[in-house]
Amino acid sequence: MARLSSENLETAYEIIARYPVKKSALIPLLHLAQEQDGWVTDVAMAHIAELVEVTPAEVIGTCTFYEMFKRKPVGKYVVNICTNISCQLLGGEELLHHAEQKLAIKAGATTADGLFTIEDVECIAACTEAPCLQVNYRYFHKITHGEFDSLIDDLKAGTRDEIPAHGTLAKVRQHIPAARRAGAVAPTDRAEPVWLIRNRQEGAS
Amino acid sequence: MSDTAAPTTVAITVNGVAVEAKPGELVIDACERNGVYIPRFCYHSRMRAVGMCRMCLVEIDGGRGPALQPSCMVSVSPDMKVFTESPVTKKAQDGILEFLLINHPLDCPVCDKGGECPLQDQTMAYGPGESRFVEEKRHFEKPIPISDLVYLDRERCILCDRCTRFAKEVAGDPLIHFQGRGNLTEVNTFPDDPFSSYFSGNTVQICPVGALTAKPYRFKARPWDLEEVESTSVVDSVGSRISVQSSRDRVLRFVGVDSDPVNWGWLTDKERFSFEALDHEGRLGGPLMRGNALGKLDAKGDQLVRATWAQALGAAASALTEAGPSRVGVLGGARLTNEAAYAWAKLTKGVLGTDNVDAQLADGLPADVVLGLPRATIDEACTPGGVIVLLGPDPKEELGALYLRLRHAVIEDRATLIELTPRSTGLSKFAAHRLHPRPGEVGELATALVADVAPTRAIAGVEPAAIAAATAALRSGKPVTVILGRTSLAEGTDAIVEAALTLRDGFPGVKFLSALRRGNVHGALDMGLSPGLLPGRTTLAASRAAFVDAWPNVPTATGLDATGILEAAASGRITTLVLLGADPLRDFPDAALAKKALETVEMLIAVDLFVTDSGRLADVVLAAAASSSEVDGSFTNLEGRVTAVRQKVTPPGTARADWMIAAELATRLGGDLGLESVEQIRAELAALSRIHEPLATGAFGDRDGVLITGGSVTVAPRERAVVPKSDAYSYRLIATRSMYDLGTVLQHSSSSAHLAPGTAVLLHPLDFDQLGVEAGARVKVSAAKASLHTIVHPDAGVPRGSAAMLFNQPDADVGGLLDARAAAIDVRVERV
Amino acid sequence: MTMNDVPKIITSRFDQGDAHTLDGYRRTHGYEGLAAALEKTPQQVADEVKAASLLGRGGAGFPAGIKWTLAPANVWPRYLVVNGDESEPGTYKDRMLLERDPHQLIEGVLIACYAVGCGQAFLYIRGEMAHAQERMAAALNEAYAAGFVGKNILGTDFSVDVVLHWGAGAYIVGEETALIESLEGNRGMPRLKPPFFPAAKGLYMQPTIVNNVETLSNLPWIIRNGVDEWNKLGAETSKGTRVFAVSGHVNNPGVFEVEFGVTTFRDIIFDPKFAGGIRGGKALKAFIPGGASAPWFYEEHLDLPLEKVAIDRAGSMLGSGAIVVMDEDTDMVKAALRLVRFFARESCGKCTPCREGTTWMEKIMQRILDGHGRPEDVALLMDTADNISVDFMWPPRMTTICPLGQSATTPIASAVMRFKDEFERYVGGPIELNVTVKGAAFIGPPTRKKEGSGV
Ligand SMILES: Cc1cc2nc3c(=O)[nH]c(=O)nc-3n(C[C@H](O)[C@H](O)[C@H](O)COP(=O)(O)O)c2cc1C
Ligand code: SF4
Ligand code: FES
């Protein structure tokens, strides 16, 4: 519940350095904050504002536009059930109702033990695998009600290590090695790329 | 400024009628100029179009058949056909209006905007009668204060992005922002981080519905009860144009008016809400004199009691007569209209015969410098692609509307800004070159800037590379304007004058825009309220002969300036002192001297709207009418532009116009001023000062007024000021003003009075680290004259070796540290 | 998941288990296209792509080679932004390309940067696709280490950083100008085109090429095999292959790469090689040919070839390659409501008609579905839709900045015009409509009348 930790701050600087304009790092940094705390706190937003040199109001403006950023604590597992057209046609809404019953909460709510949040979401790009869902953005295709129940039971039992706690997106991060870095190109950097110049000159000669 | 080769008009048709548009003009503007008004909500001509409300959709045929397009985003092209009345246009616009209304509350009867609301007007004009929307409307918590001065009612908001765009684009304070998405979008601040912008009130003005309201105006009036006149704001020297709006003889609102060469419609909150001071309970409704607890007059009494005008004027006149010209001094005059300033100049110089008159309080620049350098207009300073040199105060703090123009010039019009200020300013973020010379040494820096060879060592604490880069920018051949004023109250004027003259001589064609801040100070100088000057930007020496007929006692020798007057008063050489809207105790950058002077004089006469701190010591207080809305007259802004101020309401009680007070005093002094009306004053002025002829003809009465140019004042050369070397333990003091302080008008504007932020002493982070205390620790700041206790903070905007503080704040008497005669002031900062 | 045996250009490695690794990719011609491109001049590469008439696969179907030429001459820097925000309901192909063949995309990105002269590339991937992020990050890390990305690529003077970027959940960010706003750290609200065509004024107001994942994934093949090989595939106006996701009530939902213009809807929905017909032997009621934004098609459209021009002419679009099939039992009011609700939830809120109109339409439809609707509500619904998309034309006459607002009206117009009886059953009485409907797909079999605008 705090500013970015020193380790995350290192990552934050690395991310910021990739962009020609600092503010571009805003969304990745909000993800980083969410990974740290499970949700995006005001304190973290204020810290990000400092890092990318904008006002906190601008950070919250961006943050609240995007569904994935939670401004209140959510469950350790956020279960996103797709009810959009392809899934709807094949029982997505029924799956959602089943989930609501199984966990005894309405979509949008979090279970009392803080383990699960259910969300009724839009298409998650697995349409041919309907009905489908995600747990912390990990896919489960063609889910039956029975399979849903055992998934929940497994999660409760803690036997699904492949699913990290809410907030962690990619477990692999991009790292650009210093020696291989071409560098961020600022919008004010008006030079023509060298390979174009070279080719033109070779073409002319 | 336009490109001569390009065609000057573009032929288009609007609803089948041929009209001429300007190249690049937006369709919405071209139509409006030609009498076809296209409805709109988000478009505002002073901000970037976003095309998001969609109200201005019209069918436009640019050659490929008509298509619905937002007229606020499309520029005209030759032979374009615009259809603002076609069935498709109508259908689209009616649809938008219905969409806007489905979630808008129908609380027009209790809404401040009711009666002047474009949404209401549009609905009346075109809208459907009954709502087809039976669902529940969007709900938000009732109005929330988003700052000290502004409330936001999110239910009424139509998400036009005007306030948020203003905050980011115009003011540069993006503290309000859209939050949420789609139908749940709202405008709001970050939690507990209010929209504390100096310019927040503008959002109220441009909100097309009643979503944003100003605390000082809420529920005060209905627009149809308001009467208005166009006038000029007198709060600072920009002279922003305003509409003064009143109801039942009370001013209820100042609204910014879009003057193209000046303020573009924007006002600072300080200006906008200064109307509150007009009927503040402390406002003087009549004269006061010394008296006793029973309210009886008593020259030795310990309080101020009511007196009649006859008593007060009589006492003042006899004291002035008794003292004689050499023992009289007059301080102030920037609060006055041009006409009143003329009357007072004539009273003091032409009747009393003293030249000890100064409209500035040692916080500006010598008058010959202000009047004698080649002058620039705001537009010239803001020339796209030009070079702006800031050798003056922080415009954001002292001249807000000018700040907005400069900011726009740098950000939108690619002007290059070079700062020659002792510390960072509100413009530093946009400055291409930030040169922060040590206080008192800017003259040397200027010499280095104009030199043919780049320096090899730091000058005035500025690195050679930075100097070379700035020199290159100055030599780029683009027009250069110097914003010239007092960079800090803790350094003398000599170095600044030297720098100005060096730049003038070093870069031919350079012009100067005065940044003296105080209301009508430029009008006061033009009218001769300064030692050695006469009306018309001329000197006693040059024009005395021309004035003797009209001004029988016009002095022969140059008198004392403000510092001189106070020194003379403190030592008993001046015995009668007139404060013409001046409060030296608060406002003179040497509080100890001011105090001694006021306590020593035999007769202190204050002419003011309020009893100020200085006024409390007065023997006679004369109640004056406010220049912005209680008198007719004219105002001269920092460009030399004269615009009208107009009376809208009657002054309280028997308070009267300053020129009338001068005229009556003159009569009692046995020397009729011969001035019985504002028109008569203008005629006499024009006869004596050719450059002021437009005042007599009335040619200044339009919105943009008239630029007064010319005059014969030249700048006297100065010797280089010698600044004593600081010792290793000292910091050079920088004392600047902030927008909110203990200024008279501000302290009587109820909603803003508490906004004075207080001060701390700011040191460069490295200096701060050396001090070995934590941020916010209490320290003692000592100068030669006095010391004070305050807290200390690191601030990277303060150069190493300097210490910055704010002047005239409630929590520390920085004025006490200052010395009006010192070229620079060193202080020690020690932990306590 | 079923694959088919017709030419595979970009899904060729889908069944190769290690294609996402650098080794696996290189074993199957990986990075040979890049090497071939670097042998040519940038201009030659650009010309080749232009000659290939590679239609954009993101939705609008604009030829990539031509888009590249729209960047104003001599304005630098230029950027490349990869649109990997895939969120259009029914669309499922970019995620597979990202997860299963990430290097193919990286290679495509590099070829594009080389040809256009882009100084930096950004890979904007939908936030919800954690696995795709991981695969891309790993692939980029490998490619950097091996010298395929970054400074002096393959030892040449061609240098470019490819930056992986996360989205965070907002369909509208798939729209290219919103994508750019989002990449600048802002709310993903679209910019008006004109003037903000990305090719001229895009990221940081610099010339920016925005291309879809699938579009760019074609480049390695084109450069490796040559434009002549490519142009042998597909229809006159739509070259190459295209990946379609067929979902809904079919026996064999799947992602299929098919040759443009050769295959018909009937083939892809009914052929056992592809989706294999309607489940349970039921009859087809309607299908969405190109994602949620596309006007619906019916029985009479089945023999249209999967090819841009024919489908545009019939009043709909191939859009993002998402075919959603609905059988005879489908409740069309319910289906339409679900799509309208999607657009209402995803409206960015910038334009009044979209922000207010989509929510209003959703509320009206919900009321109808809940049994509280009155016959005049359907007329109100259509009139509201008509206020967003005046006269239901195709291509639409929009009152909004981007097509999202108008997209919300297509399921309504489709459902109401075709299945009026279902609405009448819900509202319990005959419906009278009072709007003009001009889009071909909304009014019947594909015959296109030329419509002008009423002035
Ligand atoms: C509302 C909306 C959503 C879109 N979503 C996507 C998307 O998710 N992925 C995509 O590639 N293009 C999407 N597009 C299309 C893009 O605006 C753009 O045309 C495309 O990225 C260009 O790439 P292409 O030329 O390679 O197709 C969307 C367009 C709209 C109007
Ligand atoms: S149409 Fe909708 S989604 Fe598109 S810009 Fe307008 S409000 Fe945003
Ligand atoms: S005024 Fe043009 S869209 Fe709002």
Side-chain angles (χ1 to χ4, degrees):
Chain A
M1 240 79 3
R3 291 164 66 87
L4 294 180
S5 65
S6 57
E7 191 191 337
N8 283 332
L9 199 54
E10 283 302 305
T11 311
Y13 288 133
E14 186 187 337
I15 291 171
I16 293 169
R18 283 182 212 150
Y19 294 94
V21 174
K22 286 184 176 183
K23 194 181 182 191
S24 278
L26 221 169
I27 289 173
L29 295 191
L30 285 165
H31 276 306
L32 191 65
Q34 179 150 288
E35 180 165 334
Q36 172 176 297
D37 297 328
W39 56 292
V40 182
T41 66
D42 288 354
V43 180
M45 278 190 277
H47 191 188
I48 292 171
E50 280 169 36
L51 293 173
V52 302
E53 293 166 14
V54 299
T55 64
E58 291 176 280
V59 176
I60 201 173
T62 295
C63 176
T64 54
F65 187 86
Y66 299 94
E67 227 129 83
M68 290 174 74
F69 296 132
K70 311 299 180 196
R71 295 217 25 244
K72 299 218 165 59
V74 288
K76 180 176 177 197
Y77 299 110
V78 175
V79 182
N80 290 351
I81 298 173
C82 175
T83 59
N84 208 308
I85 187 80
S86 302
C87 286
Q88 182 196 39
L89 294 173
L90 295 173
E93 289 178 345
E94 289 75 9
L95 180 62
L96 177 68
H97 292 151
H98 174 78
E100 290 179 331
Q101 260 150 24
K102 165 89 181 161
L103 292 169
I105 49 168
K106 280 285 182 200
T110 302
T111 53
D113 59 8
L115 225 42
F116 298 99
T117 299
I118 308 180
E119 292 188 345
D120 165 9
V121 300
E122 300 300 345
C123 179
I124 49 179
C127 313
T128 63
E129 314 303 313
C132 59
L133 60 80
Q134 290 183 318
V135 179
N136 293 347
Y137 307 105
R138 271 67 187 171
Y139 283 93
F140 293 88
H141 290 161
K142 288 184 175 147
I143 281 278
T144 64
H145 294 195
E147 282 164 356
F148 180 84
D149 292 350
S150 32
L151 172 62
I152 293 297
D153 295 341
D154 287 355
L155 290 170
K156 275 189 189 160
T159 57
R160 289 289 193 141
D161 287 347
E162 78 271 24
I163 301 173
H166 178 254
T168 300
L169 283 187
K171 284 188 281 189
V172 184
R173 281 193 216 285
Q174 178 178 18
H175 288 293
I176 302 180
R180 297 278 322 126
R181 211 183 117 131
V185 177
T188 47
D189 189 349
R190 308 246 179 245
E192 185 177 355
V194 285
W195 67 93
L196 293 193
I197 299 173
R198 190 244 311 146
N199 269 295
R200 229 194 14 253
Q201 284 163 351
E202 282 173 6
S205 63
Chain B
M1 260 172 287
S2 67
D3 188 349
T4 42
T8 50
T9 58
V10 177
I12 64 170
T13 68
V14 177
N15 301 329
V17 181
V19 305
E20 290 195 336
K22 299 180 193 164
E25 196 174 17
L26 294 169
V27 171
I28 197 169
D29 289 335
C31 288
E32 186 172 3
R33 265 198 321 103
N34 287 286
V36 178
Y37 185 84
I38 301 174
R40 74 211 52 187
F41 292 111
C42 65
Y43 177 62
H44 187 286
S45 60
R46 292 294 181 192
M47 298 192 286
R48 264 181 234 154
V50 282
M52 65 188 283
C53 77
R54 318 304 288 172
M55 192 64 214
C56 71
L57 284 175
V58 293
E59 278 195 297
I60 297 177
D61 183 350
R64 280 189 281 162
L68 274 175
Q69 290 195 51
S71 53
C72 69
M73 295 281 294
V74 178
S75 297
V76 293
S77 61
D79 302 325
M80 174 181 269
K81 298 185 186 69
V82 181
F83 305 96
T84 70
E85 313 256 279
S86 67
V88 171
T89 299
K90 282 274 146 217
K91 166 116 182 107
Q93 291 185 354
D94 289 351
I96 309 285
L97 201 57
E98 182 176 32
F99 286 137
L100 282 173
L101 288 169
I102 62 176
N103 276 306
H104 190 81
L106 298 171
D107 60 351
C108 309
V110 297
C111 175
D112 271 350
K113 200 78 176 186
E116 55 177 8
C117 173
L119 183 58
Q120 195 181 32
D121 296 347
Q122 285 299 315
T123 311
M124 303 284 209
Y126 311 101
E130 215 168 281
S131 177
R132 302 189 290 175
F133 185 75
V134 298
E135 271 74 26
E136 204 182 332
K137 289 183 188 260
R138 194 161 45 216
H139 281 302
F140 284 110
E141 195 188 317
K142 266 292 149 188
I144 47 170
I146 56 168
S147 76
D148 287 303
L149 299 166
V150 179
Y151 281 99
L152 168 65
D153 183 337
R154 290 165 295 172
E155 277 175 13
R156 289 184 189 149
C157 172
I158 58 165
L159 302 171
C160 69
D161 198 20
R162 280 188 175 192
C163 59
T164 35
R165 242 182 308 159
F166 172 84
K168 183 167 174 76
E169 251 176 53
V170 181
D173 297 318
L175 297 166
I176 46 173
H177 208 283
F178 281 145
Q179 296 180 17
R181 186 174 76 203
N183 205 288
L184 299 175
T185 308
E186 60 177 284
V187 170
N188 213 330
T189 62
F190 191 73
D192 304 320
D193 190 11
F195 179 38
S196 41
S197 167
Y198 291 162
F199 308 96
S200 70
N202 292 298
T203 62
V204 176
Q205 181 172 322
I206 59 178
C207 177
V209 293
L212 289 160
T213 44
K215 206 158 151 189
Y217 174 73
R218 271 167 72 83
F219 307 127
K220 288 247 172 75
R222 312 298 305 170
W224 50 84
D225 292 332
L226 290 176
E227 301 162 15
E228 66 173 329
V229 295
E230 221 173 281
S231 187
T232 305
S233 165
V234 299
V235 166
D236 66 34
S237 63
V238 179
S240 296
R241 294 293 284 163
I242 55 173
S243 155
V244 175
Q245 305 189 347
S246 71
S247 168
R248 273 166 277 147
D249 209 26
R250 241 182 111 196
V251 175
L252 293 178
R253 190 159 74 165
F254 287 167
V255 174
V257 166
D258 192 333
S259 164
D260 196 57
V262 186
N263 60 312
W264 290 5
W266 311 130
L267 297 179
T268 62
D269 288 358
K270 183 166 155 182
E271 290 174 286
R272 181 179 304 275
F273 301 120
S274 65
F275 78 87
E276 284 189 306
L278 295 173
D279 63 357
H280 184 274
E281 57 183 12
R283 188 66 203 280
L284 287 170
L288 305 173
M289 289 172 70
R290 285 280 131 201
N292 62 23
L294 298 173
K296 288 264 181 312
L297 295 187
D298 173 356
K300 297 265 164 306
D302 60 359
Q303 47 201 288
L304 286 167
V305 302
R306 281 195 202 177
T308 65
W309 276 98
Q311 291 165 330
L313 289 167
S318 49
L320 290 166
T321 312
E322 222 167 276
S326 65
R327 289 147 69 85
V328 168
V330 180
L331 281 181
R335 178 179 58 71
L336 277 49
T337 60
N338 291 332
E339 292 77 1
Y342 177 81
W344 271 90
K346 187 173 180 185
L347 169 70
T348 51
K349 298 196 177 181
V351 176
L352 277 168
T354 180
D355 196 49
N356 301 333
V357 182
D358 198 349
Q360 302 192 68
L361 288 192
D363 59 348
L365 292 175
D368 61 327
V369 175
V370 181
L371 301 182
L373 290 171
R375 289 175 82 163
T377 61
I378 298 174
D379 278 347
E380 284 170 329
C382 296
T383 306
V387 176
I388 302 169
V389 177
L390 180 59
L391 176 58
D394 184 346
K396 186 173 187 183
E397 302 295 342
E398 304 204 11
L399 298 161
L402 176 64
Y403 164 76
L404 296 186
R405 290 289 313 269
L406 295 173
R407 185 179 177 277
H408 183 97
V410 176
I411 293 179
E412 305 286 332
D413 292 333
R414 303 168 329 278
T416 302
L417 178 66
I418 303 173
E419 277 193 334
L420 302 183
T421 51
R423 57 153 304 169
S424 65
T425 72
L427 284 168
S428 295
K429 256 191 290 187
F430 323 111
H433 306 278
R434 287 179 287 263
L435 276 48
H436 299 313
R438 252 192 312 271
E441 298 174 23
V442 69
E444 285 164 62
L445 175 62
T447 304
L449 281 170
V450 303
D452 288 330
V453 268
T456 50
R457 57 175 178 93
I459 307 286
V462 181
E463 290 306 318
I467 296 173
T471 300
L474 285 163
R475 293 219 179 110
S476 62
K478 295 176 182 145
V480 177
T481 306
V482 179
I483 312 292
L484 183 66
R486 191 66 174 276
T487 52
S488 155
L489 300 174
E491 60 183 304
T493 57
D494 289 350
I496 295 170
V497 175
E498 183 193 339
L501 297 180
T502 307
L503 293 171
R504 179 195 62 182
D505 300 339
F507 301 107
V510 64
K511 288 188 169 190
F512 294 81
L513 178 63
S514 169
L516 302 187
R517 59 187 280 275
R518 230 176 262 275
N520 194 23
V521 64
H522 299 90
L525 296 183
D526 278 8
M527 295 305 126
L529 284 181
S530 189
L533 287 190
L534 284 171
R537 300 184 190 160
T538 185
T539 58
L540 268 180
S543 300
R544 188 178 180 279
F547 273 74
V548 271
D549 283 347
W551 292 29
N553 294 335
V554 60
T556 46
T558 296
L560 301 169
D561 66 3
T563 309
I565 291 169
L566 287 172
E567 283 167 347
S571 63
R573 285 176 287 124
I574 280 182
T575 54
T576 298
L577 184 61
V578 181
L579 301 179
L580 200 48
D583 183 5
L585 278 190
R586 292 250 60 98
D587 222 17
F588 185 79
D590 188 336
L593 175 60
K595 186 153 181 285
K596 177 118 191 279
L598 299 198
E599 283 170 355
T600 312
V601 285
E602 288 164 23
M603 181 68 170
L604 184 64
I605 303 164
V607 186
D608 215 317
L609 277 55
F610 305 95
V611 179
T612 62
D613 280 2
S614 304
R616 257 182 270 286
L617 300 175
D619 299 285
V620 175
V621 180
L622 302 173
S627 297
S628 60
S629 45
E630 293 171 358
V631 297
D632 280 325
S634 62
F635 178 96
T636 306
N637 83 347
L638 40 69
E639 306 166 284
R641 179 185 306 278
V642 173
T643 53
V645 298
R646 293 218 171 80
Q647 178 171 12
K648 186 71 209 68
V649 294
T650 39
T654 59
R656 51 189 72 171
D658 293 285
W659 70 266
M660 288 184 193
I661 297 175
E664 294 192 32
L665 272 173
T667 315
R668 278 163 213 268
L669 291 166
D672 185 2
L673 279 191
L675 301 172
E676 282 169 8
S677 70
V678 169
E679 288 70 29
Q680 207 184 342
I681 296 175
R682 291 176 186 155
E684 183 173 312
L685 168 65
L688 288 166
S689 162
R690 290 278 308 280
I691 61 172
H692 283 99
E693 245 158 38
L695 268 83
T697 61
F700 69 100
D702 295 343
R703 173 164 302 174
D704 299 342
V706 63
L707 204 60
I708 303 292
T709 56
S712 58
V713 177
T714 50
V715 190
R718 264 85 169 165
E719 308 232 314
R720 170 166 291 183
V722 186
V723 188
K725 280 255 173 300
S726 318
D727 65 57
Y729 306 102
S730 296
Y731 301 94
R732 277 283 164 79
L733 185 62
I734 302 167
T736 58
R737 295 178 189 264
S738 80
M739 175 74 77
Y740 297 114
D741 60 12
L742 298 181
T744 307
V745 171
L746 197 73
Q747 284 308 306
H748 292 92
S749 306
S750 333
S751 308
S752 322
H754 65 286
L755 296 176
T759 190
V761 59
L762 306 177
L763 298 177
H764 187 275
L766 295 173
D767 288 346
F768 176 85
D769 290 345
Q770 277 175 12
L771 204 59
V773 297
E774 68 284 10
R778 270 199 97 64
V779 289
K780 181 176 172 195
V781 179
S782 333
K785 287 193 144 188
S787 68
L788 53 78
H789 284 199
T790 185
I791 55 174
V792 63
H793 281 293
D795 186 329
V798 179
R800 287 206 72 177
S802 291
M805 295 195 77
L806 292 180
F807 178 69
N808 201 14
Q809 291 295 324
D811 56 349
D813 179 23
V814 174
L817 302 177
L818 304 181
D819 179 341
R821 291 266 180 229
I825 293 171
D826 283 349
V827 293
R828 297 237 176 156
V829 179
E830 297 149 314
R831 64 189 312 166
V832 289
Chain C
M1 168 70 37
T2 312
M3 288 302 138
N4 55 81
D5 50 22
V6 278
K8 285 180 189 167
I9 289 180
I10 54 172
T11 64
S12 67
R13 297 188 191 84
F14 275 21
D15 293 329
Q16 181 190 329
D18 66 349
H20 63 278
T21 65
L22 185 60
D23 284 349
Y25 184 62
R26 294 192 71 181
R27 205 169 56 240
T28 43
H29 306 294
Y31 290 110
E32 288 174 14
L34 173 64
L38 293 182
E39 296 285 306
K40 307 176 195 221
T41 68
Q43 191 58 50
Q44 285 167 335
V45 177
D47 289 345
E48 204 153 332
V49 175
K50 194 166 160 192
S53 85
L54 168 62
L55 301 190
R57 308 312 203 216
F62 193 83
I66 296 188
K67 189 187 272 190
W68 293 3
T69 64
L70 297 180
N74 282 318
V75 181
W76 313 101
R78 293 172 181 176
Y79 298 106
L80 178 80
V81 175
V82 185
N83 191 342
D85 194 59
E86 186 169 61
S87 318
E88 178 87 11
T91 313
Y92 177 26
K93 57 175 183 91
D94 294 342
R95 176 161 79 90
M96 294 188 85
L97 288 165
L98 294 165
E99 289 176 359
R100 300 194 184 192
D101 204 345
H103 285 286
Q104 178 173 254
L105 175 60
I106 296 171
E107 188 177 352
V109 167
L110 296 171
I111 292 170
C113 287
Y114 178 71
V116 183
C118 297
Q120 199 175 358
F122 298 90
L123 200 45
Y124 192 115
I125 298 189
R126 184 173 171 185
E128 288 93 335
M129 298 179 176
H131 189 48
Q133 289 279 349
E134 281 162 0
R135 283 275 166 92
M136 281 308 315
L140 278 169
N141 289 347
E142 272 189 299
Y144 261 100
F148 289 109
V149 193
K151 198 151 87 186
N152 301 124
I153 292 168
L154 296 179
T156 66
D157 59 1
F158 170 50
S159 300
V160 67
D161 269 346
V162 179
V163 172
L164 184 59
H165 187 88
W166 295 257
Y171 160 71
I172 187 58
V173 163
E175 195 284 330
E176 56 189 357
T177 58
L179 188 82
I180 286 170
E181 284 284 336
S182 184
L183 189 52
E184 290 183 7
N186 301 328
R187 302 160 56 78
M189 312 218 288
R191 301 172 179 169
L192 191 73
K193 299 185 284 193
F196 300 111
F197 280 113
K201 284 178 189 230
L203 187 64
Y204 316 124
M205 290 297 149
Q206 290 300 119
T208 302
I209 304 301
V210 182
N211 270 137
N212 169 260
V213 166
E214 183 187 343
T215 313
L216 292 168
S217 294
N218 279 292
L219 294 177
W221 194 97
I222 296 177
I223 299 301
R224 187 156 45 86
N225 295 287
V227 62
D228 295 338
E229 280 305 303
W230 164 271
N231 279 343
K232 286 182 192 152
L233 296 167
E236 195 46 49
T237 48
S238 314
K239 291 291 176 200
T241 64
R242 176 95 207 248
V243 181
F244 290 92
V246 187
S247 65
H249 294 139
V250 288
N251 282 316
N252 185 20
V255 177
F256 310 107
E257 179 171 5
V258 303
E259 203 176 330
F260 251 134
V262 176
T263 325
T264 63
F265 283 113
R266 191 182 298 284
D267 298 334
I268 202 162
I269 294 173
F270 288 95
D271 194 308
K273 267 195 314 210
F274 302 114
I278 312 292
R279 284 196 182 194
K282 295 228 171 85
L284 173 77
K285 191 167 184 179
F287 64 96
I288 306 176
S293 312
W296 298 357
F297 272 171
Y298 314 98
E299 188 69 41
E300 68 264 24
H301 298 98
L302 277 174
D303 292 316
L304 286 172
L306 296 174
E307 184 270 320
K308 179 173 160 62
V309 176
I311 288 167
D312 284 352
R313 200 172 292 145
S316 190
M317 59 176 182
L318 271 190
S320 53
I323 299 172
V324 184
V325 179
M326 298 181 252
D327 71 14
E328 55 187 313
D329 295 339
T330 311
D331 181 334
M332 296 320 238
V333 180
K334 208 172 148 192
L337 166 61
R338 187 62 190 81
L339 291 171
V340 173
R341 196 184 131 199
F342 166 73
F343 291 111
R345 278 171 73 168
E346 297 298 339
S347 165
C348 83
K350 192 166 180 177
C351 316
T352 306
C354 173
R355 178 183 71 240
E356 306 295 339
T358 54
T359 333
W360 192 8
M361 294 190 300
E362 183 198 340
K363 285 180 169 161
I364 298 169
M365 289 198 74
Q366 187 68 54
R367 198 169 62 222
I368 293 171
L369 196 79
D370 291 346
H372 307 305
R374 306 155 300 179
E376 61 269 29
D377 280 336
V378 182
L380 173 61
L381 183 66
M382 281 297 275
D383 189 37
T384 308
D386 185 34
N387 279 344
I388 301 176
S389 178
V390 181
D391 291 347
F392 298 99
M393 301 189 2
W394 194 263
R397 181 150 56 193
M398 300 196 303
T399 58
T400 51
I401 291 175
C402 89
L404 186 146
Q406 162 273 322
S407 294
T409 69
T410 57
I412 291 176
S414 293
V416 172
M417 297 310 288
R418 187 79 171 204
F419 307 102
K420 204 167 156 197
D421 55 320
E422 292 191 35
F423 282 86
E424 285 174 338
R425 231 173 293 136
Y426 271 106
V427 297
I431 298 165
E432 261 180 67
L433 298 179
N434 197 15
V435 290
T436 317
V437 177
K438 294 185 177 171
F442 302 130
I443 44 183
T447 51
R448 177 152 161 100
K449 282 189 286 172
K450 197 161 168 43
E451 301 292 351
S453 157
V455 170

